[in-house]
Amino acid sequence: MRRWNGWGDTSVEMPLNQAALHFLAERLGSGHPAGEVTLESVSPKVTNSRLPAHPLVKTDAGARIIASLGQSLPDWLRMKYGEIGPVPDAVATPTSGEQVRQLLDYANTQQAVVIPYGGGTSVVGHLACPQGEKPVLCIDLSQLNQLTQLNPESRLATFGAGVVGPKLEEQLKAKGYTLGHFPQSFEYSTLGGWVVTRSSGQQSRKYGRIEQLFAGGKLEAPVGTIDIPTFPASSAGPDLREMIMGSEGRLGILTEATVRVTPLAEHESFHALFFPTWSAAEAAARELAQSTLPLSMLRLSNAVETETNLILAGHAKLIAWLNRYLGWRGCNEGKCLLMIGVTGPLVECRHALRSTRAISSKYGGVYIGTKLGDRWAQNRFRGPYLRNTLWQHGYAVDTVETAADWPRITPLMQAMEAAAHAAFAQHGEKVHAFTHLSHLYPQGSSVYSTFVYRVAPGGYAENLQRWKTFKQAVSEAIVKGGGTISHQHGVGKDHAPYLAAEKGPLGIGAIQTLAHYFDPQGMMNPGKLLGSVDVRFADRVSPGNGLEQGVERDE
Amino acid sequence: MRRWNGWGDTSVEMPLNQAALHFLAERLGSGHPAGEVTLESVSPKVTNSRLPAHPLVKTDAGARIIASLGQSLPDWLRMKYGEIGPVPDAVATPTSGEQVRQLLDYANTQQAVVIPYGGGTSVVGHLACPQGEKPVLCIDLSQLNQLTQLNPESRLATFGAGVVGPKLEEQLKAKGYTLGHFPQSFEYSTLGGWVVTRSSGQQSRKYGRIEQLFAGGKLEAPVGTIDIPTFPASSAGPDLREMIMGSEGRLGILTEATVRVTPLAEHESFHALFFPTWSAAEAAARELAQSTLPLSMLRLSNAVETETNLILAGHAKLIAWLNRYLGWRGCNEGKCLLMIGVTGPLVECRHALRSTRAISSKYGGVYIGTKLGDRWAQNRFRGPYLRNTLWQHGYAVDTVETAADWPRITPLMQAMEAAAHAAFAQHGEKVHAFTHLSHLYPQGSSVYSTFVYRVAPGGYAENLQRWKTFKQAVSEAIVKGGGTISHQHGVGKDHAPYLAAEKGPLGIGAIQTLAHYFDPQGMMNPGKLLGSVDVRFADRVSPGNGLEQGVERDE
């Protein structure tokens, strides 16, 4: 059964070994475990639904609470402390695109606003329920989950957009295919969610981001149904797919998606290399990312993440032996772990691995085989379970990510970590901050930082305030450092204030104009994507005052 | 010097050999050579400019005539017969983005409409001048042609958007880089033109379409300046680049573009293979397109194009010997030529070629080495010169192209050729029609058909009418066959009636809404992209009546 107030299935635990707990206590101090509340104890707080009965709609408190929760840190605080706040008035679970259409009509009649629900994995507040006069209908798309068409000749597969990762891959695997889209939220996130938030999977280097995989589909918008046909490519004007991707429910609800699939690979393996320093590791990773080698994954941890990962791995004796070996090969304190994946015909994988080792050698890289890679692959979707365990021990975890061009990467990583350290120092607290580059492009890379810190003893309000200070500090570091406000999580509510920094006021206006065209009443997911724009950032990108200069001005 | 009324430089001739002329005469009858007019004889027809003097603006007849001409067949007829029709009132040649801004303000003050001019290579009427009450200002971007920034670390290069292909590659080559974007119009078309028409180059398989190469840039729109920063990837909402790509001057003028460049390749070569039949060749080409092999080009000619190319090649004895050899290997009448390119590290090129030969063998493919490939590479931008020569001999040439998913490819190719045959048969004429697939994707392919027919003896009006009948017939075959109205030429004026068939009325509305937002007065390139929508096609894609069904209904 899925946890209502945490990540994943209740049957799955990811215990932390003693060494890891000791490591954290040393760095952050002992945790402050906070109590947990039950769904039953919270449910009575939910006010009566303002929506009338409808055959497709449920109004029980439990369903309404769960529909209001994603996996952002603010969501996490709401569920852990039982401070649920506003929830939708009703939850509908349509089983067809026609039913979605009916529900939009019902919502329109009721002057309700609509929040689409995929897998409830948003970490940026996509599901946050507005508190206002209008009733709120949540439309849960989980029943739109079937493979309805597979064309082997064109390698196109059509799914209901509510299908979650494992069910999608299982249906494809039965026919010998894969989509190859594996975000860390894979077990619960949905195809439609990936499309409307521009998601990226761990092997995006081989399979592409969702932008490359989404070939066409059907959107139910207040203004009508938009049916986008599939073409391998087209020069016939702006691409409608690109309006839907990243629209985050503001234009309508994606009910069906056709995606580009690939036959299952002959071979796949993951390999680990260590480098003596970050600068050597970054240079090697960039050379690999800019090469023509068919690597399916590149993932480079900085020194603190490398150290943390080795401690989390357990097997203290084995790790001690590894550290001795690496030291003997020149990788001591400050060493950085690069994980690579090869996926495809065996002959091409071999060539890629051989050449990767040759390139790495130039930078002092030490190849240690597939042991750590196998472990990573086994646990590739288990990372979020650690949030449950850490919370039990009194620690909170959040992640922030961006992407930027290569010259900005190292300064950006440093600025993000430094901003978090400074934000927690204000409260006399420490943060354990570490970073990896997990999507490497010829042009630049994503930068993904993890922050572990102690739960504040003062309860909900204090923890929320600390998070806000920290999140704002790191987000501002991203904007100033020339990064995008999100490489793979989307905008939602939490990133909306920073969007104008990269789109400019005219860009924001263009997206607002599109939203108004598809949704003239403004009933679709209000406040997300185009929420309140932070005026400080909007000012910095006024027309005729290029963004490039804007983001580089230090304020 | 550039030809004012034909393709290319006046110093370049592409003579046709006797065998080729004989071949055409046999198939089509003798040509009807039409006279040519001079620019001087046409200039007096040009009416006085309605625009007042401005330091950046020229109003001489010659410049205004040339600015109104692209390379579409209707443009070709206008210049060959001296039936120039409306021309812009003035032509400006700004040397900076600021001057473009000033010119937009000037045009706005004069209530003029603006047509951006890149290289004058549009084959779909992007430069057609509207005949109306408003004066028309053509803004020629050729002076925005400098490389202003090159960052080797992020492999990004920023250019003035008016730079033509050779000047762009020359500036990059001096630094050891290439963009790798080689459309057939390369010698005259511009970076900005590629972006706003979603162009594709001959080696798009390696370098990507312009969609993958365009990383950011600056657009001067009536509403203001839009400055798009570069990120390697982003999930922060809909992508502004995607609004500009394919906008065809409707939103504003792209003045600056930053593109993703690649170091010059270690090795490049082009190889030819023959297959006994179209179906064997198509199956082999599809397997190659869907493989992981790093081929930089795949280009498959159907039987008529193969035959035509061999005759055009001259060297009758050599070709006769080749035909005997191919016959002995099982490739006789109906054989099809597949050209492949390998570009990159030598070791990867060798692997790609070896594997390509192995896959081809399964389909009866015969590898004949690099001779034909070398010839193709030498003449890769010379094809359009043949239009000059053919016209001198009394033949017109036009090309029509689309892209579709694999299952539609062969029927679409057959339907396009059949539609042209039927259209000319109405006039008791024949057409020499042949086709290649030149951009092959895992999902499908582009389909590029060439049509050679006799110039009609009756002059301008008769020729224009014949072309309209033919163009409409082939365009309708594309729509019915499930292809996009353009894979690489854009929409312009000539494809605008068919756009609703793939965008749907709501999609057209969304693009119109964007155009209105960026250009509230409707001053930018009116009639292009969003010209008159053919109601028959708009009807077929009304909301709730999916396009998929629409295109498969046979009307």
Side-chain angles (χ1 to χ4, degrees):
Chain A
M1 208 182 76
R2 190 161 170 193
R3 281 186 178 86
W4 85 272
N5 66 347
W7 179 266
D9 197 90
T10 48
S11 70
V12 180
E13 297 282 350
M14 286 277 283
L16 274 169
N17 63 60
Q18 281 307 315
L21 286 170
H22 182 71
F23 174 81
L24 278 179
E26 229 178 38
R27 267 160 191 72
L28 302 175
S30 306
H32 299 294
E36 301 220 1
V37 298
T38 63
L39 186 56
E40 291 68 33
S41 71
V42 174
S43 296
K45 294 190 195 177
V46 169
T47 54
N48 286 341
S49 173
R50 294 167 291 179
L51 283 171
H54 181 284
L56 294 170
V57 144
K58 286 180 297 186
T59 55
D60 66 283
R64 289 164 59 198
I65 290 171
I66 289 170
S68 78
L69 290 167
Q71 290 286 328
S72 70
L73 213 285
D75 285 339
W76 194 268
L77 296 176
R78 287 168 59 217
M79 60 200 180
K80 288 301 183 187
Y81 290 100
E83 298 276 357
I84 294 299
V87 303
D89 292 272
V91 183
T93 312
T95 57
S96 68
E98 293 69 38
Q99 288 191 350
V100 171
R101 182 89 253 148
Q102 286 166 32
L103 286 162
L104 290 184
D105 293 343
Y106 162 77
N108 191 32
T109 312
Q110 300 300 324
Q111 303 220 327
V113 304
V114 170
I115 303 180
Y117 184 98
T121 61
S122 167
V123 290
V124 292
H126 283 113
L127 297 170
C129 184
Q131 191 147 35
E133 302 220 330
K134 291 188 174 180
V136 177
L137 173 66
C138 174
I139 301 185
D140 170 359
L141 300 158
S142 59
Q143 295 310 302
L144 307 180
N145 58 15
Q146 293 302 307
L147 172 65
T148 55
Q149 214 176 338
L150 175 71
N151 188 312
E153 217 181 321
S154 55
R155 296 188 172 181
L156 290 174
T158 303
F159 284 93
V163 66
V164 295
K167 192 164 167 92
L168 174 143
E169 284 292 341
E170 178 197 303
Q171 292 177 83
L172 286 177
K173 195 178 179 185
K175 314 260 182 183
Y177 290 85
T178 180
L179 179 61
H181 190 77
F182 304 115
Q184 203 181 35
S185 61
F186 174 78
E187 293 181 336
Y188 294 97
S189 56
T190 64
L191 174 55
W194 302 337
V195 171
V196 301
T197 62
R198 292 184 174 258
S199 162
S200 189
Q202 290 161 347
Q203 283 157 279
S204 65
R205 232 186 118 75
K206 176 177 173 67
Y207 298 104
R209 291 168 60 86
I210 202 70
E211 284 99 319
Q212 285 82 53
L213 298 172
F214 175 55
K218 211 177 215 177
L219 183 86
E220 297 295 345
V223 72
T225 303
I226 292 90
D227 209 335
I228 302 183
T230 57
F231 301 120
S234 170
S235 67
D239 191 335
L240 300 182
R241 287 176 307 162
E242 294 283 348
M243 298 182 184
I244 291 172
M245 288 192 290
S247 62
E248 302 192 354
R250 291 301 299 255
L251 307 188
I253 293 182
L254 190 71
T255 56
E256 192 181 289
T258 299
V259 285
R260 295 168 177 146
V261 299
T262 315
L264 294 163
E266 180 190 349
H267 173 84
E268 176 161 272
S269 53
F270 299 95
H271 306 254
L273 299 109
F274 282 85
F275 291 83
T277 62
W278 171 256
S279 65
E282 197 225 16
R286 189 172 74 237
E287 181 168 341
L288 290 169
Q290 293 181 334
S291 76
T292 52
L293 296 174
L295 298 168
S296 60
M297 188 180 82
L298 279 166
R299 184 184 177 96
L300 175 64
S301 298
N302 72 2
V304 180
E305 179 164 306
T306 301
E307 185 190 8
T308 307
N309 279 351
L310 290 179
I311 284 167
L312 284 178
H315 308 292
K317 275 190 188 162
L318 222 63
I319 297 296
W321 180 89
L322 175 65
N323 278 330
R324 274 200 303 280
Y325 170 74
L326 289 171
W328 173 69
R329 297 286 307 271
C331 296
N332 294 291
E333 212 174 328
K335 65 181 173 287
C336 294
L337 168 62
L338 175 70
M339 200 83 82
I340 69 148
V342 289
T343 306
L346 186 57
V347 55
E348 289 172 19
C349 291
R350 280 194 185 130
H351 162 66
L353 184 60
R354 203 164 40 231
S355 301
T356 297
R357 292 180 63 172
I359 289 171
S360 299
S361 294
K362 295 192 302 180
Y363 300 91
V366 180
Y367 175 74
I368 62 147
T370 55
K371 264 245 155 44
L372 282 179
D374 290 347
R375 200 190 123 82
W376 173 85
Q378 257 171 32
N379 290 316
R380 61 193 296 184
F381 308 125
R382 290 295 166 91
Y385 283 95
L386 273 180
R387 297 179 80 186
N388 302 334
T389 316
L390 283 164
W391 186 267
Q392 286 157 17
H393 291 283
Y395 299 102
V397 196
D398 201 13
T399 60
V400 181
E401 43 83 50
T402 178
D405 299 341
W406 279 114
R408 303 182 193 259
I409 292 303
T410 296
L412 197 46
M413 171 181 86
Q414 289 164 345
M416 288 163 70
E417 293 189 359
H421 286 298
F424 282 99
Q426 287 177 35
H427 313 293
E429 284 291 308
K430 290 182 176 164
V431 59
H432 183 54
F434 49 88
T435 300
H436 62 248
L437 316 184
S438 49
H439 299 261
L440 284 74
Y441 304 85
Q443 181 184 335
S445 177
S446 72
V447 180
Y448 190 104
S449 298
T450 302
F451 303 95
V452 186
Y453 56 92
R454 292 203 292 182
V455 174
Y460 176 76
E462 186 184 13
N463 277 288
L464 183 61
Q465 192 47 53
R466 283 197 185 174
W467 176 82
K468 279 187 180 167
T469 312
F470 142 74
K471 177 76 176 177
Q472 184 179 334
V474 181
S475 299
E476 291 186 5
I478 288 173
V479 170
K480 284 186 192 168
T484 172
I485 198 60
S486 177
H487 169 270
Q488 64 201 66
H489 290 160
V491 177
K493 188 182 162 201
D494 299 341
H495 291 156
Y498 308 98
L499 194 63
E502 58 199 83
K503 303 291 185 191
L506 293 174
I508 295 284
I511 301 170
Q512 276 167 337
T513 300
L514 274 182
H516 182 72
Y517 170 78
F518 283 98
D519 172 25
Q521 318 292 331
M523 65 189 275
M524 298 305 302
N525 218 6
K528 316 303 159 50
L529 181 64
L530 299 165
S532 55
V533 169
D534 188 320
V535 180
R536 288 173 307 150
F537 296 114
D539 280 357
R540 287 160 68 183
V541 285
S542 57
N545 171 15
L547 182 58
E548 279 295 320
Q549 293 88 53
V551 293
E552 280 166 13
R553 256 200 340 254
D554 213 27
E555 298 191 354
Chain B
M1 208 182 74
R2 191 162 170 192
R3 281 187 177 84
W4 84 274
N5 66 348
W7 179 266
D9 197 273
T10 48
S11 69
V12 180
E13 297 282 350
M14 286 278 282
L16 275 169
N17 62 60
Q18 280 309 314
L21 287 170
H22 182 71
F23 174 81
L24 278 179
E26 226 178 40
R27 268 160 188 73
L28 303 175
S30 306
H32 298 159
E36 302 218 2
V37 296
T38 63
L39 187 56
E40 291 67 33
S41 72
V42 174
S43 296
K45 293 191 195 177
V46 169
T47 54
N48 286 342
S49 173
R50 293 167 293 179
L51 282 171
H54 182 285
L56 295 171
V57 144
K58 286 179 297 187
T59 54
D60 65 283
R64 290 164 60 199
I65 290 171
I66 288 169
S68 78
L69 290 167
Q71 289 286 329
S72 70
L73 212 284
D75 285 339
W76 194 269
L77 296 176
R78 286 168 59 218
M79 59 201 181
K80 288 303 184 188
Y81 290 100
E83 297 276 356
I84 294 299
V87 302
D89 291 273
V91 183
T93 311
T95 56
S96 69
E98 294 68 40
Q99 289 192 348
V100 171
R101 182 90 254 146
Q102 286 167 30
L103 286 163
L104 290 184
D105 294 342
Y106 162 76
N108 191 32
T109 312
Q110 300 302 324
Q111 304 221 327
V113 303
V114 170
I115 302 180
Y117 184 98
T121 61
S122 167
V123 291
V124 293
H126 282 114
L127 297 171
C129 184
Q131 191 148 34
E133 301 220 330
K134 291 187 174 182
V136 177
L137 174 66
C138 175
I139 301 185
D140 170 0
L141 299 157
S142 59
Q143 294 310 302
L144 306 180
N145 58 15
Q146 292 303 306
L147 171 65
T148 55
Q149 214 175 338
L150 175 71
N151 189 312
E153 218 182 320
S154 55
R155 296 189 171 181
L156 290 174
T158 303
F159 283 94
V163 66
V164 294
K167 192 164 168 93
L168 175 143
E169 285 291 341
E170 177 197 304
Q171 291 177 84
L172 286 177
K173 195 178 178 186
K175 315 257 182 184
Y177 289 85
T178 179
L179 178 61
H181 191 77
F182 303 113
Q184 203 181 36
S185 60
F186 174 77
E187 294 182 335
Y188 294 98
S189 56
T190 65
L191 174 54
W194 302 337
V195 171
V196 302
T197 61
R198 292 185 175 259
S199 160
S200 189
Q202 290 161 348
Q203 282 158 280
S204 65
R205 232 186 118 76
K206 175 176 175 68
Y207 297 104
R209 292 167 59 85
I210 202 71
E211 285 99 319
Q212 285 83 51
L213 299 172
F214 175 55
K218 211 177 216 174
L219 182 86
E220 297 295 345
V223 74
T225 303
I226 291 90
D227 208 335
I228 303 183
T230 56
F231 301 120
S234 171
S235 68
D239 191 336
L240 301 182
R241 288 175 306 163
E242 294 284 348
M243 298 181 184
I244 291 172
M245 289 191 289
S247 63
E248 304 192 353
R250 290 303 299 256
L251 308 187
I253 293 182
L254 190 72
T255 56
E256 192 180 289
T258 299
V259 286
R260 296 169 177 146
V261 299
T262 314
L264 294 163
E266 179 191 347
H267 173 83
E268 176 161 272
S269 53
F270 299 94
H271 306 254
L273 299 108
F274 282 85
F275 290 84
T277 63
W278 170 256
S279 66
E282 196 225 16
R286 189 171 74 238
E287 182 168 340
L288 290 169
Q290 294 181 334
S291 75
T292 53
L293 297 174
L295 298 168
S296 60
M297 188 181 82
L298 279 166
R299 184 184 176 96
L300 176 63
S301 299
N302 73 2
V304 179
E305 178 163 308
T306 301
E307 186 190 7
T308 306
N309 279 351
L310 291 179
I311 284 167
L312 284 178
H315 307 293
K317 273 188 190 165
L318 222 63
I319 296 296
W321 180 89
L322 174 67
N323 278 330
R324 273 198 303 280
Y325 170 73
L326 289 170
W328 174 69
R329 297 285 308 270
C331 296
N332 294 291
E333 211 175 328
K335 65 182 173 285
C336 294
L337 168 64
L338 176 69
M339 199 82 83
I340 70 150
V342 288
T343 307
L346 185 57
V347 55
E348 290 172 18
C349 291
R350 279 193 185 131
H351 162 66
L353 183 60
R354 204 164 38 230
S355 301
T356 297
R357 293 181 62 172
I359 289 171
S360 299
S361 295
K362 297 192 300 179
Y363 299 92
V366 179
Y367 175 74
I368 62 147
T370 55
K371 264 247 154 44
L372 282 178
D374 290 346
R375 199 189 123 84
W376 173 85
Q378 259 171 32
N379 289 316
R380 61 193 296 183
F381 308 125
R382 290 295 166 91
Y385 282 95
L386 272 180
R387 297 178 79 185
N388 301 333
T389 317
L390 283 163
W391 185 268
Q392 287 158 15
H393 290 283
Y395 300 102
V397 195
D398 201 13
T399 62
V400 180
E401 44 82 49
T402 178
D405 299 341
W406 278 114
R408 303 181 194 258
I409 293 301
T410 297
L412 197 46
M413 171 181 87
Q414 290 164 347
M416 288 162 70
E417 293 189 358
H421 286 298
F424 282 99
Q426 288 176 37
H427 313 292
E429 284 293 307
K430 289 182 176 166
V431 58
H432 183 55
F434 50 89
T435 300
H436 62 249
L437 316 183
S438 50
H439 300 261
L440 283 73
Y441 304 85
Q443 180 184 335
S445 176
S446 72
V447 181
Y448 190 104
S449 298
T450 302
F451 303 96
V452 186
Y453 56 92
R454 291 204 292 182
V455 173
Y460 177 76
E462 186 184 16
N463 277 289
L464 184 61
Q465 192 47 52
R466 282 198 185 175
W467 176 82
K468 279 186 178 166
T469 313
F470 141 75
K471 177 77 175 177
Q472 183 179 336
V474 181
S475 299
E476 291 186 5
I478 288 173
V479 171
K480 285 187 190 165
T484 172
I485 199 60
S486 176
H487 168 270
Q488 64 201 66
H489 290 160
V491 177
K493 188 182 163 202
D494 299 341
H495 291 156
Y498 308 98
L499 194 63
E502 59 198 83
K503 303 292 184 191
L506 292 173
I508 295 283
I511 301 170
Q512 275 167 337
T513 299
L514 274 183
H516 182 72
Y517 170 77
F518 283 97
D519 173 25
Q521 317 293 333
M523 66 189 275
M524 297 305 302
N525 218 4
K528 317 300 159 53
L529 182 63
L530 300 165
S532 54
V533 170
D534 189 320
V535 180
R536 288 172 307 150
F537 296 115
D539 280 357
R540 287 160 67 183
V541 286
S542 57
N545 171 15
L547 182 57
E548 279 294 321
Q549 293 87 54
V551 292
E552 279 165 13
R553 255 198 343 252
D554 214 27
E555 298 191 354

